């Protein structure tokens, strides 16, 4: 029986468990705080970076661990854009840019729990958030929902939807979990192997904002069109990977979603396949994580986790050649991710 709507503004942590995988998710930021899946010997490990309680998230100690970011994920150049003849200014919180929705984006809000079925067949939890007109400088009120569902023994699906009520507005949500398939407390992810179904990246300027070009990855350190070790050429890209890949070479679909990436840990033999309907994925290697004390007093350092944030392209609101992120009033934004684990 579904544990129906809790109209609570109290941040908490809720569980989904289907007997094979166990996921803990907070209504603060719609945040995955723990996700445990088996290795090839059936041994469970928690493969996401995070904290044991909700307090560190609420107190701002998490560098976007596990949350949903919005209203617009990634960077908007100089925190400015124009829409329908009106100029908008957003909070500057990342160098000269506005990042992940501003100072108090969706990751820092307590969402309503609109439905929850903890276990049994297809456990799920649905979160709902109402973003007011003018919140963090964005136009129009928006109603947002995010539903996490354990669709099979070791598969989790995330469905994000948003409807602008009265004004057109940019919307681009992203799920910002840091993955470490060896276990959250096992050190860095440089020995993980990854394949990304993208033959181009959107190269960036000195402030990590896309220039508007599309750069072929062939022959560069960004080429993961075939599976490679993350650490092989990471030293050639500055402090690490933090780039948007154009998902332009998917060769298969699942549930109407295209293959975005495959992440593999040789030690545990855990594999995560990621599927999405978004046009891009931010491949980020935790370059700025520095001595964060997380679950069980594990200390997370640089490259302790890898993020695979499917998304609209960064700064798309200011780049007419990029896929449009403007959603018209009354229309529906949809973004689905499928996380498929195996060993």
């Amino acid at each position: 029986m579904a544990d129906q709507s809790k109209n609570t503004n109290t941040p908490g942590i809720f569980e989904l468990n289907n007997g094979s995988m166990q996921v803990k998710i907070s209504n603060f930021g719609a945040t995955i705080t723990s996700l445990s899946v088996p290795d090839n010997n059936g041994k469970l490990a928690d493969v996401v970076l995070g904290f044991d309680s909700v307090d560190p998230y609420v107190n701002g100690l998490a560098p976007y661990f596990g949350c949903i970011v919005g209203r617009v994920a990634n960077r908007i150049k100089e925190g400015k854009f124009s829409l329908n003849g009106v100029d908008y200014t957003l909070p500057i919180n990342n160098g000269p840019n506005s990042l992940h929705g501003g100072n108090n984006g969706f990751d820092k809000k307590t969402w309503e729990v609109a439905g929850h079925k903890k276990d049994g067949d297809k456990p799920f939890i649905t979160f709902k958030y109402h973003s007011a007109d003018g919140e963090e400088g964005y136009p129009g009120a928006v109603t947002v929902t995010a539903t996490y569902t354990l669709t099979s023994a070791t598969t989790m699906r995330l469905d994000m939807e948003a409807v602008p009520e009265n004004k057109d507005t940019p919307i681009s949500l992203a799920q910002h979990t840091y993955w470490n398939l060896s276990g959250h407390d096992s050190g860095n992810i440089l020995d993980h192997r990854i394949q990304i179904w993208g033959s181009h990246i959107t190269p960036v300027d000195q402030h990590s904002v896309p220039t508007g070009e599309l750069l072929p990855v062939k022959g560069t350190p960004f080429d993961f069109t075939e599976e490679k070790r993350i650490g092989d050429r990471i030293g050639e890209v500055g402090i690490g990977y933090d780039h948007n890949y154009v998902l332009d070479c998917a060769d298969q679909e699942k549930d109407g979603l295209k293959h975005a990436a495959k992440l593999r840990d040789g030690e545990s033999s855990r594999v995560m396949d990621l599927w999405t309907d978004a046009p891009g994925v931010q491949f980020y290697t935790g370059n700025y994580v520095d001595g964060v004390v997380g679950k069980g007093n594990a200390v997370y350092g640089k490259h302790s986790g890898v993020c695979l944030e499917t998304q609209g392209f960064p700064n798309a609101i200011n780049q007419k050649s990029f896929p449009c992120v403007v959603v018209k009033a009354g229309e529906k934004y949809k973004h689905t991710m499928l996380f498929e684990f195996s060993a």
Side-chain angles (χ1 to χ4, degrees):
M1 185 71 187
D3 171 13
Q4 278 306 323
S5 179
K6 291 185 177 66
N7 288 305
T8 173
N9 289 324
T10 306
I13 294 177
F14 303 83
E15 185 179 339
L16 303 178
N17 193 330
N18 62 6
S20 298
M21 63 188 293
Q22 178 193 54
V23 187
K24 294 180 180 177
I25 309 174
S26 177
N27 59 328
F28 187 80
T31 298
I32 299 171
T33 66
S34 170
L35 189 149
S36 297
V37 286
D39 65 8
N40 56 345
N41 296 313
K43 181 187 174 191
L44 284 174
D46 181 356
V47 297
V48 306
L49 274 55
F51 301 102
D52 289 312
S53 75
V54 77
D55 294 349
Y57 300 96
V58 174
N59 294 331
L61 301 182
Y64 300 105
F65 283 170
C67 58
I68 290 178
V69 293
R71 183 176 303 194
V72 175
N74 218 301
R75 294 166 180 87
I76 293 179
K77 185 176 183 177
E78 296 173 356
K80 295 176 182 175
F81 67 92
S82 297
L83 182 60
N84 297 336
V86 180
D87 294 334
Y88 294 95
T89 303
L90 312 174
I92 303 300
N93 62 342
N94 180 262
N97 306 310
S98 189
L99 177 71
H100 292 332
N103 293 324
N104 289 291
F106 294 175
D107 62 298
K108 297 177 181 69
K109 305 294 185 181
T110 302
W111 299 43
E112 174 193 338
V113 180
H116 180 210
K117 177 184 168 187
K118 178 181 175 181
D119 49 26
D121 184 44
K122 293 185 170 55
F124 77 93
I125 190 162
T126 298
F127 299 110
K128 188 174 183 180
Y129 177 66
H130 184 266
S131 178
D133 184 6
E135 185 177 290
E136 294 296 297
Y138 287 95
V142 177
T143 299
V144 188
T145 60
T147 299
Y148 293 92
T149 308
L150 305 189
T151 54
S152 71
T154 52
T155 303
M156 180 177 72
R157 180 180 171 115
L158 169 59
D159 291 291
M160 294 173 273
E161 297 186 351
V163 178
E165 293 169 16
N166 49 3
K167 293 180 186 173
D168 301 352
T169 189
I171 301 174
S172 177
L173 308 182
Q175 215 297 335
H176 208 297
T177 291
Y178 290 70
W179 303 98
N180 188 321
L181 298 183
S182 287
H184 74 97
D185 53 357
S186 64
N188 69 54
I189 46 76
L190 297 180
D191 284 334
H192 279 46
R193 299 177 68 82
I194 194 168
Q195 183 174 1
I196 301 174
W197 273 262
S199 62
H200 296 79
I201 60 166
T202 51
V204 295
D205 64 19
Q206 70 270 31
H207 300 302
S208 298
V209 172
T211 61
E213 305 161 90
L214 300 183
L215 177 74
V217 298
K218 189 173 182 180
T220 76
F222 299 101
D223 189 355
F224 292 97
T225 52
E226 294 181 358
E227 189 179 290
K228 291 186 180 71
R229 180 178 171 271
I230 289 176
D232 275 357
R233 299 183 69 181
I234 197 170
E236 299 175 49
V237 293
I239 61 170
Y241 295 99
D242 190 7
H243 296 79
N244 175 62
Y245 280 70
V246 181
L247 295 174
D248 56 6
C249 54
D251 52 3
Q252 51 186 318
E253 280 198 351
K254 177 168 288 196
D255 300 339
L257 308 175
K258 59 194 172 190
H259 217 163
K262 179 190 287 283
L263 186 66
R264 182 190 307 273
D265 170 45
E267 193 175 329
S268 67
S269 78
R270 288 187 189 91
V271 175
M272 183 179 79
D273 282 283
L274 174 61
W275 307 76
T276 188
D277 53 4
V281 61
Q282 190 83 4
F283 173 43
Y284 173 54
T285 48
N287 311 324
Y288 300 105
V289 180
D290 183 16
V292 178
V293 180
K295 287 176 279 194
N297 290 319
V299 179
Y300 305 136
K302 185 179 181 181
H303 306 321
S304 285
V306 56
C307 301
L308 292 164
E309 309 155 54
T310 63
Q311 60 181 4
F313 294 178
N315 197 40
I317 188 66
N318 292 312
Q319 285 287 356
K320 301 309 174 210
S321 62
F322 286 180
C324 182
V325 293
V326 174
V327 183
K328 293 190 178 302
E331 294 189 357
K332 184 179 285 188
Y333 163 92
K334 288 184 169 187
H335 179 186
T336 294
M337 303 174 77
L338 196 68
F339 305 89
E340 189 177 39
F341 299 91
S342 55

